Amino acid sequence: MIYLKKGLFPIMTVILLVLAGCSDEEPAQQVTEPETRETEEPDTVEVVPADRPAAEEPDEKVKEDVSEPLYEMNPNTFSIEPIGEADPQVVLLTIDDAPDKRALDMAKTLKELEASAIFFVNGHFIDTEEKQGVLKEIHEMGFLIGNHTQTHANLKELSEEEQRQEILTVSDTVEEITGERPRFFRAPFGANTEFSKRIAEEDGMLVMNWSYGYDFEKAYMTREKIAEIMVNTELLRNGSNLLMHDREWTADALEEIVLGLREKGYEMVDPLTIKGVSD
């Protein structure tokens, strides 16, 4: 009997080891299940970045819509006319002879009022570093720069070569300063020639005059007088192309003019929305 008990001992030992091995496997299985779930949760979170490109698509559509012209300029009256369903009750603000005295002040006023305008430049006003800096700042504020010739000469009194120089010299200088060529041309005194119009158009500019303007007349050379006539003239109508100049009295009256126009229901048209301007 003693022999049998000794023979059973190794057998019992093997059985105990097997049982111990089985009990060790179950905790391992219980640990792997939580680990699997934890690695799956970040997978579901990472789906979010995949949605981002789709969310950006509407922005691209908005850009495309904005780039479509909303207005066109009447080549006979130079007024601004809506295309399709664009708001017809708008006016275009333009400022000639910049940057002479107060152009930067005028740009700041318009910027604060969120009112668009075109600044028409004379080349002889941007022949110093100081004035070039002023022009660059106006452009960087978001305003379009127009070409108003080099010396403000009457183009009808010049040869074709002189007209070419008057126009293209300004475009070259403006591009050198701002990185962008003018997109509008306005002849001094509204005195265009067939040659000057062709040169301007070949250089990618829209040729324009204006609907009305008064600040160059002696009777309106005060803040009160120019503000009154610009807003209350009988010539004001949908699409009017308003002529103003870089002058002390006009600069002082500019905020009153913009607010007065808005009180009458007019908004300032963005020149970039005019057909033939955007690239």
Side-chain angles (χ1 to χ4, degrees):
M1 293 298 294
I2 293 173
Y3 172 79
L4 290 173
K5 287 181 181 178
K6 286 182 180 179
L8 289 173
F9 181 78
I11 295 172
M12 293 297 296
T13 301
V14 171
I15 291 172
L16 289 174
L17 287 173
V18 171
L19 290 174
C22 292
S23 63
D24 287 340
E25 287 177 2
E26 285 196 76
Q29 291 176 351
Q30 292 174 355
V31 171
T32 55
E33 288 180 1
E35 286 178 356
T36 303
R37 282 194 289 267
E38 288 174 3
T39 56
E40 288 175 353
E41 288 179 3
D43 290 341
T44 58
V45 172
E46 289 175 359
V47 174
V48 175
D51 294 337
R52 288 174 189 162
E56 291 174 358
E57 288 180 5
D59 293 340
E60 296 301 322
K61 284 187 176 181
V62 168
K63 290 179 183 178
E64 290 176 5
D65 293 340
V66 169
S67 67
E68 292 296 321
L70 302 176
Y71 299 89
E72 58 187 349
M73 187 179 65
N74 186 310
N76 298 314
T77 65
F78 303 103
S79 61
I80 307 304
E81 300 175 349
I83 298 174
E85 298 181 358
D87 183 6
Q89 198 166 5
V90 297
V91 295
L92 176 65
L93 300 186
T94 67
I95 299 168
D96 283 12
D97 299 347
D100 184 8
K101 295 178 172 61
R102 298 281 300 279
L104 186 56
D105 291 339
M106 298 174 85
K108 290 178 178 178
T109 297
L110 292 170
K111 186 72 172 178
E112 290 175 0
L113 295 171
E114 298 183 347
S116 297
I118 304 170
F119 284 78
F120 282 95
V121 170
N122 295 126
H124 62 88
F125 286 136
I126 50 175
D127 58 1
T128 66
E129 289 188 9
E130 179 184 358
K131 288 299 182 68
Q132 290 171 7
V134 169
L135 180 64
K136 186 175 182 180
E137 186 171 352
I138 291 172
H139 179 264
E140 289 176 346
M141 291 169 69
F143 296 101
L144 287 188
I145 306 302
N147 184 323
H148 198 40
T149 74
Q150 179 67 21
T151 67
H152 203 273
N154 187 330
L155 296 178
K156 292 184 177 181
E157 299 174 355
L158 303 181
S159 68
E160 290 187 350
E161 183 55 33
E162 288 171 330
Q163 292 178 57
R164 185 194 305 274
Q165 290 298 320
E166 281 284 332
I167 298 169
L168 296 185
T169 299
V170 173
S171 289
D172 291 342
T173 305
V174 169
E175 183 178 27
E176 183 179 346
I177 295 169
T178 68
E180 182 177 14
R181 293 184 80 77
R183 306 189 191 190
F184 293 93
F185 174 72
R186 174 176 280 162
F189 319 108
N192 279 293
T193 68
E194 290 304 314
F195 182 78
S196 70
K197 288 189 286 187
R198 186 167 77 249
I199 291 297
E201 289 168 357
E202 288 176 354
D203 199 45
M205 292 183 283
L206 283 181
V207 176
M208 68 158 56
N209 281 348
W210 57 87
S211 301
Y212 68 83
Y214 299 93
D215 63 355
F216 50 90
E217 298 181 22
K218 190 172 181 179
Y220 301 104
M221 292 183 179
T222 66
R223 180 187 65 79
E224 295 81 8
K225 292 292 185 181
I226 192 59
E228 168 71 19
I229 191 66
M230 290 299 290
V231 174
N232 297 308
T233 176
E234 61 183 9
L235 299 177
L236 174 62
R237 54 180 54 88
N238 288 354
S240 287
N241 188 329
L242 277 56
L243 170 66
M244 294 180 283
H245 292 79
D246 180 353
R247 300 290 185 270
E248 294 285 345
W249 48 91
T250 310
D252 292 339
L254 189 55
E255 180 175 359
E256 190 173 346
I257 291 170
V258 171
L259 295 179
L261 290 168
R262 283 177 170 164
E263 286 178 5
K264 288 199 165 187
Y266 294 95
E267 190 50 66
M268 286 76 252
V269 66
D270 182 351
L272 281 173
T273 64
I274 299 175
K275 186 177 181 180
V277 176
S278 297
D279 297 332

